[in-house]
Amino acid sequence: MSDLPKSDEYFSQIDHKPPKLTGWMDTPINIRKGMYCYASNPKSVETLGLPYARPWNPLEDDWQLPENWQQIIHEGLKERLERFRSFKIFMDICVRCGACADKCHFFLGTGDPKNMPVLRAELLRSVYRNDFTAAGKILAKAGFGKQIGARPMTLDVLKEWWYYFFQCTECRRCSVFCPYGIDTAEITIIGRELLNLLGLNIDWIATPVANCYRTGNHLGIQPHAFKDMLEFFVDDIEEITGVRVDPQFNKKGADILFITPSGDVFADPGTYTCMGYMILFHFLKEKYGFDVTWSTYASEGGNFGFFTSHETMKRLNAKMYLEAKRLGVKWILGGECGHMWRVINQYMDTMNGPADFLEEPVSPITGTKFENAKSTKMVHIAEFTADLIKHGKLDLDVRRNDHLKVTFHDSCNPARGMGLLDEPRYVIKNVCNHFYEMPANTIREQTFCCGSGAGLNAGEDMELRMAGGLPRANAVKHVHKKHGVNMLACVCAIDRAVLPALMEYWVPEVDVTGLHELVANALILPGENDRETDLRGEPLPGTEDDTNE
Amino acid sequence: MNVNYLFSLVAVLLLFALAYLGVKVPGGQLLFGIIIPYVAFIAFLAGFFNRVMGWGRSAVPFRIPTTCGQQMSLPWIKQNKIDNPTTTWGVIARMFFEIVTFRSLFRNTRAAKKDGDRLQYKLEIFLWIGALAFHYTFLTVLIRHLRFFTEPVPGFVQMIERVDAFFQFGLPVVYLSGIVLLAAVLYLFLRRIFIPNVKYISLASDYFPLFLIGGIALTGIMMRYFTKVDITAAKELTMGLVTFHPTIPEGVGSIFYVHLFFVSVLLAYFPFSKLMHLGGVFLSPTRNLPTDTRARRHVNPWNYPVKVHTYEAYEDEFREKMIEAGLPVDKQPEPQAPEEKE
């Protein structure tokens, strides 16, 4: 981040006007440091058995492509046009009205016209037109290809695809505003699939995918280490609350399997959210006999395969049901994660279902039937906790969060992929006294991406991340100034991993938290001490005086 | 330089000249009055059908609706039944508002940098108004034209005409739809020229239909108010076309043939262009599917088995470490070498 100019300088230099002189087809591709992620490590590509594992460097002219790469792309495109009606329709019906143009966080943050969703899609459409449409074939032959936006597949086009499809976080905000619902994420997903046919991925996706495949989680944490990590939290929790919680692992016959993104096990502030889950589960076990198990095999909620190809997504997602079946649980509870829920909501049952070996989910504590999860048998923890609070099943001391002025960031995937909007807000409002919404155009389905989703949360593309996260940060800055907001809550592990850096750059006074950290701060455990600090070890309001003595 | 609009303008002017002069050569009226309209209409129908069938042949493997409101979840949380529909009726309502009122476009905002450190989003409804004006006046004009293709003229056509001529000025009475259509076309063109980002993304295939439709509106207005085409003769020709007894009456001016030719070109061009959004908007999988993917199972027609990393393989790799850490395992390791005892 040290290479970046100060945030206000950065902001003032953004220009949303495209170049006057050259059209987009004549603007050469310029792969710039800080805006791209490193090429995939061949070892990771090999682990998954994906094609063309090899070392290559985006900055070099020669990408070591297979000889018939154009044919591979052409055939891949053809196959996908038949497999996805969405893709085919989105190739055909865009009228380039421009409604999506200024909806993309990457466009707002970089001003690069190829980050306008319409143009990002045109990068692929231009090849589609040239190769697959009657008008394109005829006019391109007559020398008018450029006028109708048709161009042949060349190395430069391929490089442009790679550069810009990995400058899209697949957040789908543009789709909300499109009069035909054209979803650029769908185009990016398929664009990335095509690139993967040539072994062109980025390492921040390829290696986590390989890790998820082998060890069950994206960090490559092995089973014993996974258990160790949670046991560290057991010690921390004991220090703060005086209560020793006792998480269960790989327990056959438990009632419920809990799966959360492994980012929460690994890095602050996600770790506090993870402690939050553990505290909640302990409370529920003590009071209501709630029997939940963690799994080391299915130890990742996030699905980095989603950023690779539909097939890879399916391969990683399979573990959830396989493990639920093996352990013989009744249903699955899922933690706070963004794209994990898009996959669970829109893909899992279709890819890896039917989950007929599980029961339709019912909260064993409140008796609530989760009708909306009848088929997948997987409940979101925000739904689960909101239901507990509504039924008065939690003992809460809300004042313990009084030092926090909280705003809520809707994570793109749950917000636009499933509509999980009110449940987390209900929980926050019931565990915090100070909650403030960001402006209406920046929340709920119109929420802005963190700027680092879809596998772009690497260190080397920090400029891209800070630019992409600008609209989000800008809205936080607004409530920070207006209401003194100092805590940004979210229900996504990628958010928790990347928003702290974003806040540090744009709004340094604001911290980041998951929902269940806030819940656990307020939750009164049976037999606990008088807590003096929150889960982060910060003194609780009203207790500072005592600790100073 | 962006020459895309000049390219389209020249194309439309050439088409104009082609028809204007073409009807003056022998056989030209037959070609432009009968043959081309029939060919164009067939191309339209066949092309449209073919395109939609082409989309229909592609699978819908996953349900990927964009949700724009609260999901159906706990009974005390209010679901947004239109923007996040779980029932067929909800989907129908969503599609109805989308197609009839351009609901998503109504959400449009414009982003701008303000005060040195602020991004601001303002409601931007002009595109929505322009698009609505364009499509609805086009529809009105289309319905009004049924007068030329029906005998007797149905009541609803006459009613639309009366509404269209509500202000009752000019002679012949001025229809608002034609004027508004032309104004909307002009607006849609000007925004492509003057909004830098929209100009940047615009292709010749964006300008061409605008000029063509503008040309249709302009020639229509010219005939009605200025050159005063012989309506009886025009109707004789159109009725001939729809009753499959085509005739070329005397005294229909060249502008009429230009008008008819423009319409023919539009029809023939339609299925091969972005104008197919007319058909595609109904089929868009992000809008026309219910959001019940967790509650109801949906089948992917090409779902195939994939290679997964099984628990057994996982345990085989980590068994020792798992046992050491006190994690349960399915298979105990082989008992250690019994030969030690011996």
Side-chain angles (χ1 to χ4, degrees):
Chain A
M1 210 176 311
S2 52
D3 302 352
L4 284 176
K6 280 212 168 102
S7 56
D8 46 347
E9 281 166 40
Y10 197 98
F11 186 87
S12 63
Q13 78 194 20
I14 302 167
D15 181 9
H16 292 118
K17 288 207 174 59
K20 278 213 163 69
L21 293 173
T22 52
W24 62 269
M25 282 199 194
D26 305 315
T27 310
I29 174 81
N30 171 26
I31 297 181
R32 197 157 64 76
K33 198 172 157 272
M35 301 296 283
Y36 74 93
C37 298
Y38 297 144
S40 38
N41 183 339
K43 241 175 78 187
S44 304
V45 181
E46 222 159 62
T47 304
L48 295 157
L50 297 176
Y52 303 111
R54 65 180 184 283
W56 64 285
N57 182 348
L59 293 180
E60 277 166 17
D61 289 338
D62 185 2
W63 280 14
Q64 318 280 340
L65 297 169
E67 212 157 280
N68 59 338
W69 69 268
Q70 274 146 314
Q71 191 196 342
I72 294 172
I73 292 280
H74 182 87
E75 274 160 19
L77 201 51
K78 190 173 173 203
E79 191 181 335
R80 277 153 191 83
L81 288 165
E82 284 157 20
R83 278 193 180 171
F84 299 94
R85 186 183 298 169
S86 50
F87 183 53
K88 198 166 186 186
I89 285 186
F90 298 162
M91 288 292 103
D92 282 332
I93 65 171
C94 174
V95 301
R96 288 170 294 280
C97 70
C100 59
D102 59 355
K103 306 304 179 285
C104 173
H105 51 286
F106 280 121
F107 175 66
L108 290 172
T110 62
D112 184 340
K114 286 178 191 168
N115 275 326
M116 292 191 277
V118 46
L119 208 44
R120 196 193 313 280
E122 287 289 310
L123 300 179
L124 209 161
R125 263 189 215 118
S126 54
V127 173
Y128 163 78
R129 267 185 215 117
N130 191 74
D131 290 9
F132 291 94
T133 66
K137 280 182 198 159
I138 295 164
L139 285 168
K141 236 177 227 146
F144 295 123
K146 207 173 258 180
Q147 275 71 36
I148 60 149
R151 58 180 181 175
M153 188 75 204
T154 63
L155 188 59
D156 277 345
V157 172
L158 185 75
K159 289 184 175 181
E160 211 171 46
W161 281 14
W162 183 82
Y163 194 51
Y164 287 101
F165 293 154
F166 289 102
Q167 284 190 25
C168 168
T169 44
E170 304 177 350
C171 81
R172 309 172 105 201
R173 188 169 192 265
C174 48
S175 170
V176 167
F177 298 89
C178 175
Y180 318 116
I182 294 175
D183 181 4
T184 308
E186 187 75 354
I187 294 167
T188 301
I189 289 167
I190 287 169
R192 287 183 176 191
E193 243 185 65
L194 294 169
L195 292 167
N196 265 281
L197 296 177
L198 304 175
L200 300 172
N201 207 323
I202 59 173
D203 199 47
W204 220 98
I205 292 175
T207 297
V209 170
N211 285 339
C212 286
Y213 190 68
R214 180 171 158 252
T215 65
N217 57 70
H218 84 276
L219 296 156
I221 309 168
Q222 299 186 6
H224 56 293
F226 188 83
K227 185 172 178 244
D228 271 359
M229 289 167 113
L230 290 200
E231 269 157 12
F232 279 133
F233 300 153
V234 170
D235 293 339
D236 287 350
I237 291 167
E238 189 175 16
E239 210 163 290
I240 294 161
T241 66
V243 174
R244 195 154 180 89
V245 304
D246 182 21
Q248 308 184 110
F249 298 93
N250 301 354
K251 187 195 169 194
K252 283 196 176 169
D255 288 337
I256 286 153
L257 167 64
F258 179 65
I259 301 177
T260 198
S262 63
D264 285 347
V265 181
F266 174 70
D268 295 347
T271 47
Y272 305 118
T273 306
C274 192
M275 286 158 70
Y277 303 140
M278 292 164 73
I279 290 171
L280 176 70
F281 296 157
H282 181 78
F283 175 91
L284 297 176
K285 190 179 179 188
E286 292 291 299
K287 285 204 86 155
Y288 309 105
F290 187 70
D291 185 20
V292 62
T293 182
W294 299 67
S295 163
T296 60
Y297 166 67
S299 50
E300 177 65 84
N303 189 325
F304 289 80
F306 187 41
F307 313 136
T308 308
S309 67
H310 286 84
E311 184 175 307
T312 317
M313 162 169 54
K314 182 178 169 179
R315 289 171 70 186
L316 297 186
N317 174 260
K319 290 187 181 187
M320 292 191 180
Y321 281 155
L322 286 176
E323 185 67 341
K325 193 171 189 178
R326 186 183 76 88
L327 297 178
V329 296
K330 295 194 173 106
W331 48 273
I332 312 171
L333 184 64
E336 300 176 21
C337 185
H339 71 273
M340 156 182 170
W341 277 96
R342 169 118 194 252
V343 172
I344 290 166
N345 182 32
Q346 299 191 329
Y347 297 94
M348 176 159 80
D349 200 11
T350 303
M351 291 186 305
N352 288 311
D356 45 14
F357 48 89
L358 296 173
E359 291 174 15
E360 288 182 12
V362 175
S363 170
I365 299 154
T366 64
T368 299
K369 272 177 106 165
F370 294 97
E371 297 278 352
N372 60 337
K374 230 168 22 190
S375 186
T376 55
K377 276 91 170 179
M378 189 149 179
V379 175
H380 194 291
I381 194 159
E383 297 167 337
F384 178 73
T385 303
D387 175 63
L388 291 173
I389 294 173
K390 179 76 179 175
H391 286 86
K393 298 291 181 190
L394 299 185
D395 305 331
L396 299 167
D397 180 359
V398 182
R399 286 170 310 166
R400 288 187 201 159
N401 281 321
D402 274 356
H403 56 311
L404 304 177
K405 294 192 170 176
V406 182
T407 190
F408 179 67
H409 162 59
D410 290 279
S411 311
C412 306
N413 280 301
R416 281 185 283 266
M418 76 200 265
L420 183 93
L421 307 173
D422 286 335
E423 298 88 339
R425 285 180 170 77
Y426 181 82
V427 173
I428 293 177
K429 286 177 190 167
N430 278 283
V431 297
C432 298
N433 282 319
H434 310 292
F435 173 69
Y436 303 93
E437 287 279 15
M438 285 182 269
N441 287 322
T442 68
I443 54 167
R444 299 176 80 90
E445 68 271 5
Q446 296 196 35
T447 186
F448 275 109
C449 182
C450 59
S452 312
L456 303 186
N457 47 331
E460 64 268 21
D461 66 336
M462 198 50 89
E463 182 182 340
L464 177 72
R465 292 171 50 186
M466 294 304 111
L470 164 65
R472 170 74 301 149
N474 207 253
V476 176
K477 196 170 185 171
H478 176 78
V479 281
H480 169 67
K481 277 188 181 165
K482 198 170 166 194
H483 305 292
V485 160
N486 58 10
M487 190 55 94
L488 175 60
C490 59
V491 282
C492 170
I494 288 183
D495 285 336
R496 284 188 288 278
V498 304
L499 285 174
L502 187 76
M503 290 299 117
E504 195 188 319
Y505 187 65
W506 293 108
V507 207
E509 302 83 3
V510 177
D511 276 333
V512 179
T513 179
L515 198 62
H516 280 78
E517 179 185 343
L518 299 173
V519 172
N521 267 340
L523 193 65
I524 305 166
L525 281 174
E528 72 172 18
N529 297 339
D530 275 345
R531 284 196 219 175
E532 286 170 355
T533 69
D534 62 13
L535 295 188
R536 301 185 180 199
E538 307 276 335
L540 286 174
T543 60
E544 287 104 310
D545 293 341
D546 308 332
T547 48
N548 284 348
E549 278 166 15
Chain B
M1 205 192 84
N2 187 340
V3 294
N4 286 341
Y5 66 93
L6 282 176
F7 182 84
S8 305
L9 184 62
V10 168
V12 173
L13 290 175
L14 281 177
L15 291 174
F16 180 93
L18 191 67
Y20 193 79
L21 302 172
V23 290
K24 303 199 164 159
V25 298
Q29 299 195 348
L30 182 75
L31 180 69
F32 286 94
I34 296 171
I35 298 172
I36 289 178
Y38 273 136
V39 171
F41 194 66
I42 291 166
F44 173 76
L45 284 184
F48 199 102
F49 180 78
N50 198 29
R51 208 66 185 275
V52 173
M53 291 308 282
W55 291 333
R57 267 195 300 276
S58 294
V60 184
F62 304 107
R63 304 206 155 188
I64 53 162
T66 318
T67 62
C68 294
Q70 174 59 39
Q71 68 167 348
M72 184 197 91
S73 83
L74 298 159
W76 45 273
I77 288 179
K78 193 165 174 273
Q79 179 195 359
N80 184 331
K81 290 190 173 160
I82 291 178
D83 282 327
N84 200 333
T86 39
T87 61
T88 308
W89 282 111
V91 172
I92 290 171
R94 183 180 202 187
M95 290 304 286
F96 176 83
F97 287 119
E98 200 58 70
I99 289 161
V100 174
T101 70
F102 304 175
R103 194 149 183 255
S104 295
L105 198 54
F106 181 67
R107 283 195 193 99
N108 197 15
T109 55
R110 190 180 54 206
K113 278 165 68 176
K114 284 271 144 83
D115 307 341
D117 74 336
R118 215 151 59 85
L119 278 173
Q120 195 190 53
Y121 315 94
K122 271 191 173 155
L123 203 58
E124 156 70 57
I125 59 166
F126 292 105
L127 177 58
W128 178 74
I129 291 175
L132 268 187
F134 173 81
H135 286 88
Y136 273 101
T137 50
F138 203 135
L139 182 67
T140 309
V141 171
L142 215 64
I143 292 173
R144 238 181 339 99
H145 274 67
L146 287 179
R147 156 176 295 281
F148 297 102
F149 297 94
T150 48
E151 191 62 53
V153 179
F156 77 97
V157 175
Q158 295 180 357
M159 203 185 73
I160 293 255
E161 278 179 346
R162 274 199 296 277
V163 174
D164 202 355
F166 182 74
F167 286 105
Q168 296 267 343
F169 67 94
L171 201 78
V173 173
V174 171
Y175 287 130
L176 285 179
S177 55
I179 313 270
V180 177
L181 176 60
L182 205 56
V185 167
L186 187 67
Y187 166 74
L188 293 176
F189 169 67
L190 291 179
R191 73 181 285 279
R192 282 202 186 272
I193 297 290
F194 287 115
I195 302 177
N197 293 322
V198 183
K199 181 175 179 181
Y200 196 70
I201 57 175
S202 294
L203 301 168
S205 39
D206 296 313
Y207 295 109
F208 179 69
L210 280 178
F211 287 128
L212 193 61
I213 292 166
I216 292 172
L218 214 56
T219 47
I221 287 171
M222 270 172 73
M223 274 189 290
R224 182 170 168 83
Y225 307 107
F226 302 104
T227 67
K228 310 266 169 145
V229 79
D230 181 345
I231 298 247
T232 333
K235 182 153 181 177
E236 199 182 325
L237 193 151
T238 52
M239 285 307 292
L241 288 174
V242 288
T243 54
F244 298 106
H245 296 291
T247 53
I248 296 292
E250 284 296 306
V252 195
S254 302
I255 291 293
F256 172 82
Y257 286 104
V258 174
H259 187 69
L260 187 60
F261 182 56
F262 276 171
V263 173
S264 302
V265 172
L266 185 68
L267 281 175
Y269 174 74
F270 201 101
F272 305 99
S273 70
K274 70 168 194 175
L275 302 178
M276 276 308 287
H277 66 267
L278 168 68
V281 67
F282 291 89
L283 292 175
S284 185
T286 51
R287 294 281 191 271
N288 72 1
L289 293 170
T291 58
D292 59 356
T293 31
R294 280 163 74 203
R296 222 161 296 153
R297 184 166 155 71
H298 177 71
V299 177
N300 170 357
W302 50 260
N303 199 21
Y304 54 86
V306 294
K307 191 167 180 282
V308 300
H309 191 62
T310 60
Y311 176 80
E312 289 70 33
Y314 170 85
E315 195 186 289
D316 283 347
E317 185 177 353
F318 297 114
R319 185 170 295 111
E320 302 296 325
K321 289 170 174 167
M322 289 173 77
I323 292 171
E324 207 170 307
L327 288 166
V329 289
D330 279 0
K331 214 164 94 186
Q332 290 304 321
E334 301 280 312
Q336 279 300 310
E339 61 262 36
E340 272 181 6
K341 277 187 181 168
E342 287 173 3

